[in-house]
C-alpha cells in the first residue's frame, strides 16, 4: 500500500507541475487541482497508513492519528475555494483579454 | 486576564469584516465610518499589546484552554506586537485614502480590507505552523480580491500570475508542514524548536528539506530573488490604497523567515542550526541590486515604487541575514520605515497621476500640475526617505545595517551593494522627480478635472510621512525596542518555555 500511495502522490505531483507550466489557463487550473490532490494525499499519509483503527486513544490497542485528517480537511476546504476562485479569474481573464493565454497574449 | 489581549487584534478585524459583510447594503460613507472605527480600534489594541510585551513578557493565549503542544496557541512577543502595530497604522492611512472614492470602484472593498487585516494579524500572532498556513491563505484570499478591485485588463493579467504563484506557494507550504508533522510529530513552533534540535541523524535530511521548502515559500511571499518576478507587475497594476496596504505583504514573508530562522533553526538547533543563512544573505544582496536596477529602468512612478519595494525587501533581508543581534535590530527598525515610505510613494504616485491627465504617472513631459510645489515637496520627502538620505529614518536604518555588518565576513559585499544601490536609488528618484515636476510644458497647467477633495489624498500621505518622521525623532526608543526584540528572538528558550507551559 505504501508503494501505491507514494506512486500516486508522485504521479499527481508530476502531472500537476507539468500542467502548471502550460501556457493556457485551463491547463494551469487543472495542474493546480492535481497539485492540491497530491498534497492532500501527502498530508494524509504523514499520519502513517493504518486500516481499521479508531482515531481515539484507548479504544483499541493502537490508534490512528486524527490530526492529519483535520489538516487535510482544512486543506481541502481552502483548496476547493481557491480552485473556484481561480476558475472565475481564468474566465474573467478570458473575457477581458480575449484569449486564454496566461500572459494575455493572443496567439503565441 | 490580560491574555485575552493577544487574540483581540485577530478578532476585531474579523468581526468588523463580518459586520461589514452583513451591512453591505448600507451606503459607502457608513461603511467607511465602521471600517475606520474598527481600524482605529485595531491601532489601540496593537498599542496596548505592544505595551504589554515591551517589558519582555511573552503572552500566550491558548484557544479553548487546551495546553500548548496539542491545542492551538497565539503568542505575542515583541516582534509580533511590533508587526501588528505597523500593520494597523499602515492600514488606517490606506483606508483613509481609499475613502476618498476608490473604494467605490468595485464591490466589498471594506470587507476584503478587514479580512486582509485579520489574516495579517493572525499570521504575526500565531504560534503554530499550520495556522500560519491558514492565516497566509486568509490574507492571500483577501489580497486576491483587493488586487482585482476596480477590474480592468491589466489587473486581471497581473492578478492571474499572482494568484497562481501564490497557490503554488501554498501547496509547497503544505508539503513542508506535512513533512514536519510526519517526521517530528508536531506543528507547534515551540515544540518544533525542541524536536528539531533533537532530530535523530537519520531524519536530518528530511527536516532539512522541509525547512528549505518553507524558506522557499517565505521567499516567494517576500519577493526574494529569483522569486520576485510577480511583484512589480502586480503592484504597479493594483489600485493605490490596495498597494499601500500591500507594502506590508512582503514584510510578512520577511517576518516568517525571521521567525523560523531564529526559533526553529537558530543557534540551538544542533546540526540544523542556521539552515537559512547560507542562502539568505546572497539572495538578499542580489535582490537589492536587481530591485534598484529596476527602479532605474522604470517608466512609471507606480512601477518605480514597486521596484523600490523589492529593493527594500532586499535591504531588510540583508539585515536579517547578518544573523547577529545588531543586524536583526537594524532590520526591525528599517521595517516600519520602509513600509510607511513605500506606501506614501504609492499614494503620491496615484495622486500625481490623477492630476496629469493622459500622461498619468509616466516619466514624460506633460503640462504642469496644479499646486506642483506641494506635490513636489511631498515627493521630495518621500524620495529622501526611500533613498536613505540623512536626516530621515531611511538613513538611520541603513546606517544601522551598515554598522551591524562591520563584524561580518561578507562586509565588502554588504557595504558595496548597499552603498552602490543607495546611489542608484538617489539618481533614479532625482530623475523621476525632475521629469514629473520640472520638465513640463512651460506656463500650461492641466485643465481642471474633477478631483476628489484634496484632503482625502493629503491626510493619508502626510500621515504616512509623519509616521516615518516620528521614527526619526523617536529613533532612540524605537531602536532600543528593536534591539530588545532582537535579543528576545535570539534567545528562544524563553519563548519555548512560556509556550510549553514550563511557567504554569
Amino acid at each position: 500500500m505504501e508503494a501505491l500511495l507514494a506512486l500516486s502522490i508522485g504521479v499527481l505531483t508530476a502531472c500537476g507541475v507539468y500542467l502548471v507550466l502550460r501556457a493556457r489557463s485551463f491547463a494551469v487550473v487543472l495542474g493546480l487541482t492535481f497539485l492540491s490532490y497530491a498534497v492532500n494525499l501527502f498530508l494524509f499519509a504523514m499520519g502513517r497508513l493504518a486500516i481499521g483503527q479508531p482515531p481515539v486513544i484507548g479504544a483499541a490497542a493502537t490508534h490512528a492519528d486524527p490530526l492529519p485528517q483535520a489538516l487535510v480537511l482544512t486543506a481541502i476546504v481552502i483548496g476547493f475555494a481557491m480552485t473556484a476562485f481561480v476558475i472565475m479569474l481564468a474566465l474573467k481573464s478570458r473575457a477581458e483579454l480575449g484569449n486564454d493565454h496566461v500572459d494575455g497574449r493572443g496567439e503565441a | 486576564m490580560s491574555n485575552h489581549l493577544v487574540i483581540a487584534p485577530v478578532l476585531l478585524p474579523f468581526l468588523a469584516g463580518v459586520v461589514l459583510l452583513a451591512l453591505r447594503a448600507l451606503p459607502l460613507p457608513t461603511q467607511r465610518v465602521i471600517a475606520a472605527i474598527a481600524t482605529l480600534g485595531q491601532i489601540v489594541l496593537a498599542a496596548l499589546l505592544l505595551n504589554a510585551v515591551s517589558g519582555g513578557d511573552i503572552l500566550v493565549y491558548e484557544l479553548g484552554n487546551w495546553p500548548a503542544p496539542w491545542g492551538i496557541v497565539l503568542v505575542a512577543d515583541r516582534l509580533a506586537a511590533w508587526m501588528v502595530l505597523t500593520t494597523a497604522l499602515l492600514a488606517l492611512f490606506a483606508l483613509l485614502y481609499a475613502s476618498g472614492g476608490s473604494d467605490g470602484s468595485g464591490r466589498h472593498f471594506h470587507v476584503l480590507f478587514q479580512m486582509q487585516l485579520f489574516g495579517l494579524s493572525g499570521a504575526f500572532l500565531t504560534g503554530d505552523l499550520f495556522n500560519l498556513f491558514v492565516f497566509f491563505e486568509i490574507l492571500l484570499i483577501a489580497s486576491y480580491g483587493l488586487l482585482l478591485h476596480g477590474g480592468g485588463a491589466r489587473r486581471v493579467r497581473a492578478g492571474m500570475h499572482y494568484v497562481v504563484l501564490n497557490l503554488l506557494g501554498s501547496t509547497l507550504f503544505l508539503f513542508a508542514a506535512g513533512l514536519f508533522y510526519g517526521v517530528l510529530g508536531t506543528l507547534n513552533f515551540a515544540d518544533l524548536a525542541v524536536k528539531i534540535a533533537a532530530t535523530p541523524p537519520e531524519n536530518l535530511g528530511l527536516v532539512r528539506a522541509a525547512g528549505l521548502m518553507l524558506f522557499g515559500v517565505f521567499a516567494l511571499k517576500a519577493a526574494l530573488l529569483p522569486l520576485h518576478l510577480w511583484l512589480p507587475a502586480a503592484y504597479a497594476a493594483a489600485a493605490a490604497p490596495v498597494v499601500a496596504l500591500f507594502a506590508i505583504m512582503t514584510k510578512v514573508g520577511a517576518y516568517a523567515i525571521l521567525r523560523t530562522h531564529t526559533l526553529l533553526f537558530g543557534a540551538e538547533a544542533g546540526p540544523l542550526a542556521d539552515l537559512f543563512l547560507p542562502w539568505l544573505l546572497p539572495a538578499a544582496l542580489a535582490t537589492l541590486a536587481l530591485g534598484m536596477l529596476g527602479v532605474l529602468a522604470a517608466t512609471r512612478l507606480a512601477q518605480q515604487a514597486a521596484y523600490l519595494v523589492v529593493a527594500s525587501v532586499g535591504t531588510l533581508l540583508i539585515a536579517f541575514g547578518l544573523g547577529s543581534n545588531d543586524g536583526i535590530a537594524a532590520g526591525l527598525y528599517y521595517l516600519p520605515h520602509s513600509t510607511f515610505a513605500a506606501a506614501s510613494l504609492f499614494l503620491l504616485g496615484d495622486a500625481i497621476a490623477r492630476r496629469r491627465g493622459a500622461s498619468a504617472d509616466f516619466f514624460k513631459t506633460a503640462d504642469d500640475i496644479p499646486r506642483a510645489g506641494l506635490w513636489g515637496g511631498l515627493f521630495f520627502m518621500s524620495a529622501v526617505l526611500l533613498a536613505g538620505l540623512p536626516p530621515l529614518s531611511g538613513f538611520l536604518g541603513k546606517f544601522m545595517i551598515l554598522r551591524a555588518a562591520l563584524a561580518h565576513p561578507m562586509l565588502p559585499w554588504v557595504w558595496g551593494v548597499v552603498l552602490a544601490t543607495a546611489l542608484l536609488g538617489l539618481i533614479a528618484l532625482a530623475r523621476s522627480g525632475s521629469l514629473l515636476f520640472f520638465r513640463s510644458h512651460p506656463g500650461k497647467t492641466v485643465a481642471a478635472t474633477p478631483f476628489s477633495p484634496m484632503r482625502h489624498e493629503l491626510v493619508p500621505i502626510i500621515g504616512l510621512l509623519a509616521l516615518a518622521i516620528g521614527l526619526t525623532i523617536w529613533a532612540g526608543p524605537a531602536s532600543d525596542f528593536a534591539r530588545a526584540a532582537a535579543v528576545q528572538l535570539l534567545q528562544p528558550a524563553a519563548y519555548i518555555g512560556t509556550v510549553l507551559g514550563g511557567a504554569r
Side-chain angles (χ1 to χ4, degrees):
Chain A
M1 188 163 69
E2 280 84 356
L4 185 62
L5 190 74
L7 266 179
S8 344
I9 296 175
V11 170
L12 279 172
T13 312
C15 293
V17 169
Y18 175 78
L19 285 172
V20 161
L21 295 175
R22 302 279 85 197
R24 302 284 159 195
S25 52
F26 181 66
V28 172
V29 174
L30 271 190
L32 287 171
T33 320
F34 273 116
L35 279 176
S36 77
Y37 289 162
V39 80
N40 288 344
L41 276 180
F42 178 80
L43 276 182
F44 197 69
M46 282 301 111
R48 305 295 184 268
L49 300 175
I51 292 176
Q53 290 173 359
V56 183
I57 298 176
T62 53
H63 61 273
D65 189 345
L67 189 79
Q69 305 178 13
L71 301 186
V72 168
L73 260 181
T74 317
I76 288 175
V77 171
I78 292 178
F80 182 71
M82 286 303 184
T83 309
F85 182 84
V86 85
I87 287 175
M88 282 315 295
L89 184 60
L91 285 175
K92 193 164 162 53
S93 153
R94 169 77 182 76
E96 293 255 3
L97 306 172
N99 62 73
D100 65 345
H101 192 278
V102 285
D103 285 338
R105 281 190 301 240
E107 211 35 61
Chain B
M1 281 287 287
S2 73
N3 270 2
H4 287 295
L5 190 58
V6 180
I7 200 173
V10 184
L11 279 184
L12 178 72
F14 173 65
L15 292 176
V18 171
V19 166
L20 281 166
L21 185 62
L23 301 179
R24 64 188 179 282
L26 288 185
L28 262 179
T30 325
Q31 292 190 28
R32 285 173 191 156
V33 170
I34 299 175
I37 291 173
T39 313
L40 277 174
Q42 178 79 349
I43 293 178
V44 172
L45 287 176
L48 285 175
L49 190 64
L50 190 79
N51 188 38
V53 297
S54 61
D57 292 334
I58 293 170
L59 302 180
V60 180
Y61 185 82
E62 295 170 341
L63 277 92
N65 222 8
W66 289 91
W70 296 285
I72 292 170
V73 288
L74 297 177
V75 185
D77 61 356
R78 287 192 179 114
L79 171 65
W82 185 242
M83 299 299 295
V84 172
L85 184 64
T86 307
T87 310
L89 288 171
L90 177 70
L92 178 70
F93 293 112
L95 185 72
L96 283 181
Y97 193 88
S99 300
S102 45
D103 55 350
S105 61
R107 289 196 295 167
H108 302 314
F109 177 86
H110 291 288
V111 178
L112 290 169
F113 192 91
Q114 293 297 324
M115 286 300 166
Q116 169 101 54
L117 286 185
F118 167 50
L120 285 166
S121 315
F124 294 137
L125 288 169
T126 181
D128 76 271
L129 193 60
F130 198 78
N131 277 302
L132 186 65
F133 165 76
V134 172
F135 282 118
F136 264 25
E137 288 308 300
I138 293 170
L139 73 89
L140 285 175
I141 294 173
S143 77
Y144 301 155
L146 286 175
L147 180 62
L148 296 170
H149 177 77
R154 223 154 55 86
R155 278 177 200 163
V156 170
R157 187 183 305 145
M160 188 76 193
H161 294 178
Y162 177 75
V163 171
V164 169
L165 267 178
N166 276 301
L167 286 181
L168 284 176
S170 307
T171 311
L172 204 58
F173 197 154
L174 276 180
F175 272 119
L179 209 48
F180 270 126
Y181 186 77
V183 177
L184 303 169
T186 183
L187 286 169
N188 181 287
F189 277 144
D191 207 20
L192 270 178
V194 175
K195 298 232 164 96
I196 284 175
T199 314
E202 70 269 21
N203 285 342
L204 276 180
L206 281 175
V207 175
R208 190 174 287 133
L212 287 177
M213 266 201 263
L214 214 51
F215 178 66
V217 176
F218 298 152
L220 172 70
K221 313 274 175 212
L224 195 63
L225 193 88
L227 301 170
H228 69 288
L229 291 168
W230 58 271
L231 190 142
Y235 280 32
V242 172
V243 203
L245 183 65
F246 280 11
I248 194 79
M249 292 274 283
T250 50
K251 273 72 176 183
V252 182
Y255 161 84
I257 288 176
L258 181 63
R259 173 72 77 197
T260 43
H261 162 59
T262 53
L263 186 57
L264 303 187
F265 300 106
E268 280 140 50
L272 293 169
D274 296 339
L275 183 65
F276 295 169
L277 280 190
W279 301 92
L280 188 53
L281 193 54
L285 286 169
T287 310
L288 174 57
L290 206 93
M292 223 30 120
L293 289 179
V295 170
L296 211 54
T299 53
R300 294 176 51 205
L301 191 53
Q303 201 184 18
Q304 188 163 56
Y307 274 109
L308 278 167
V309 169
V310 176
S312 78
V313 164
T315 313
L316 185 61
L317 289 176
I318 287 172
F320 291 165
L322 295 173
S324 64
N325 213 332
D326 288 340
I328 295 174
L332 289 179
Y333 177 80
Y334 185 76
L335 190 150
H337 147 77
S338 68
T339 310
F340 298 145
S344 74
L345 190 62
F346 279 119
L347 296 183
L348 257 174
D350 184 61
I352 292 169
R354 283 199 218 178
R355 283 168 174 73
R356 292 182 87 216
S359 308
D361 57 349
F362 285 96
F363 298 135
K364 60 180 184 187
T365 313
D367 295 346
D368 261 336
I369 60 174
R371 316 200 55 179
L374 173 69
W375 294 110
L378 290 174
F379 176 84
F380 177 68
M381 234 178 89
S382 185
V384 165
L385 279 168
L386 282 162
L389 290 184
L392 296 182
S393 51
F395 170 73
L396 295 177
K398 281 204 175 149
F399 181 75
M400 284 164 73
I401 292 171
L402 291 178
R403 204 177 51 181
L406 276 178
H408 198 274
M410 280 179 73
L411 170 72
W413 284 99
V414 175
W415 274 55
V417 172
V418 171
L419 291 175
T421 53
L423 178 66
L424 289 185
L426 185 63
I427 294 171
L429 285 164
R431 178 174 160 272
S432 27
S434 36
L435 283 178
L436 285 174
F437 296 105
F438 293 145
R439 236 181 108 199
S440 48
H441 297 138
K444 281 208 283 189
T445 307
V446 178
T449 39
F451 305 131
S452 61
M454 222 163 74
R455 68 190 157 86
H456 279 303
E457 295 166 337
L458 281 179
V459 169
I461 293 171
I462 293 176
L464 283 167
L465 292 175
L467 282 177
I469 292 174
L471 266 177
T472 316
I473 296 174
W474 287 284
S479 62
D480 285 347
F481 183 89
R483 185 168 304 276
V487 171
Q488 193 176 41
L489 280 174
L490 289 175
Q491 289 163 352
Y495 182 102
I496 296 167
T498 320
V499 172
L500 292 183
R504 266 179 330 120

